Structure formats: C-alpha cells, structure tokens
Amino acid sequence: REHALLMALAALTVSAAWLIGGRPISGDSGWQRRRGGPCCSDSRSTFAEEAESFHVGARARRVALDAELAVRGLSGDELAALLESADHRGSPAFRAYNSFVYPKSEGALANAEKAGRLATVAQAVCFLHREQKAEHATWLRNHDRTLAEADAANPGRFPLTLVLDNIRSAHNVGSLLRAAEAARVESVHLCGITPAPPHASVLKTALGAAEYV
C-alpha cells in the first residue's frame, strides 16, 4: 500500500509540474494557440472579424432576452451566475443564451431576428438552467453518500490538500482527480475558472474517481 501511495503521489507531482509549465496534459494544440505556436495563423483573426460582423444588435438582443428571462423568474444574481460563474461556463443554458445574443453566421442572425424567437430562447434557457441545477443537486447528494461509504470502508486519508487554481482544461482536472483518488488525499479545492464536477468533461476523464474525492 505504501508503494502504491508513493506512485500516486509521483503521478500528482508530474501532473502539477506540467500544469505549472502551462502545457495541458493531453494534447498541445491549446498550449500552442495561447503562445502563438505553429497551429496559429492569420486566418483566425479574419474569422473573428467575420464572426463579429454578425453581432450587430447584440446589446438590444441581450436587454430583450434579460427582460424575458426576468418575466420567467431568472434574473439578478442567478442570471449573473449563469453568465459569469465557472460552474456554468459552456453549459447548455449558457450556450443557448450566447448563441442568441452573439450569432456566428448570417443564418443564425436571421434566425435570432425572427418573430417569436426571443420567447423560445428564453424558455429554453430557463429549462436548461433548471435542469442543470437539478443535476448538480443530485450529483452532490450522491457524492456525499459515496464519500461517506468509502471512508467507512477504508478510513484514513493522506493529509494532503490539492488546490487547483484557474486550470482551464477540464481533462486536466479529471486526470488530477483520478490521481487524488488513488493517493487518497484529504481534499481537492477547485478555485477560479477551474471546471468542477458534475462538469461532463471532468467526470468523463475522472472515470468515476470524482465521487470518491
């Protein structure tokens, strides 16, 4: 058991070293893009300019959508959390909101301007947001129960706390959760924009380990 613990801690050390160095554990395309590597090209800036050309009227659409969401009970701090919190970044509700406010093509812009589209999008955003909240609450209940059962069956954890601060890659977070579960560390704190369970990509990479950390 001591040998397995040392091996798991060594894996954690290597993973942390890669993260501090700025490279994702799996794949380097994101690392190259952030540093202007060979995968970057001038076409990206051209594409961005073309996409921004379809954002005409974005402010008006956002104001109208916020008003429609408020009528349906989604406003204030809850709406701000949906749009700004790392827990909701990339969620279906977040994508539905931004796709309406910031369309990426001429067809999407025309669709956003259709009569009745505002109400349809507002209804979809509210439904997807409620669904995500329900899934999150369910995951937390299952996580607490699983953690209690695991500690009862195998008491004692290694007195080590991992702090994952502003790690953008959900796959890296999932990999570290797997290593933390193998080493039975005491806790893992996810801070800033770090994606957290039940984020789909985190759970997929963690391979079930997230419930035991």
Side-chain angles (χ1 to χ4, degrees), residues 63-171:
V63 171
L65 182 55
D66 288 352
E68 188 71 21
L69 291 173
V71 171
R72 299 170 185 271
L74 180 56
S75 61
D77 292 341
E78 190 174 8
L79 179 58
L82 170 62
L83 300 178
E84 300 171 9
S85 170
D87 292 337
H88 298 282
R89 188 62 52 86
S91 68
F94 179 87
R95 294 198 302 269
Y97 183 100
N98 277 319
S99 295
F100 176 79
V101 176
Y102 304 109
K104 296 182 179 180
S105 67
E106 186 175 354
L109 176 59
N111 193 36
E113 299 295 340
K114 286 182 179 179
R117 182 61 179 169
L118 174 64
T120 301
V121 172
Q123 182 177 356
V125 170
C126 288
F127 172 79
L128 293 170
H129 182 57
R130 288 195 300 269
E131 186 177 50
Q132 183 184 9
K133 288 174 63 179
E135 290 177 354
H136 188 262
T138 300
W139 190 89
L140 287 177
R141 288 194 300 270
N142 293 338
H143 173 257
D144 290 342
R145 182 175 62 252
T146 303
L147 201 59
E149 293 173 353
D151 287 341
N154 189 14
R157 290 182 175 272
F158 191 78
L160 176 67
T161 296
L162 299 183
V163 179
L164 309 185
D165 184 33
N166 289 328
I167 296 178
R168 191 176 299 274
S169 170
H171 299 290

Side-chain angles (χ1 to χ4, degrees), residues 2-57:
E2 291 180 356
H3 177 71
L5 178 60
L6 289 174
M7 293 295 291
L9 289 175
L12 282 173
T13 303
V14 172
S15 300
W18 276 76
L19 289 172
I20 292 172
R23 298 185 182 220
I25 293 174
S26 57
D28 62 353
S29 58
W31 175 79
Q32 290 174 337
R33 283 196 296 271
R34 289 194 295 273
R35 288 159 176 76
C39 69
C40 297
S41 65
D42 294 338
S43 61
R44 291 190 67 220
S45 59
T46 303
F47 176 79
E49 291 175 0
E50 292 176 352
E52 289 177 0
S53 67
F54 303 118
H55 294 176
V56 176

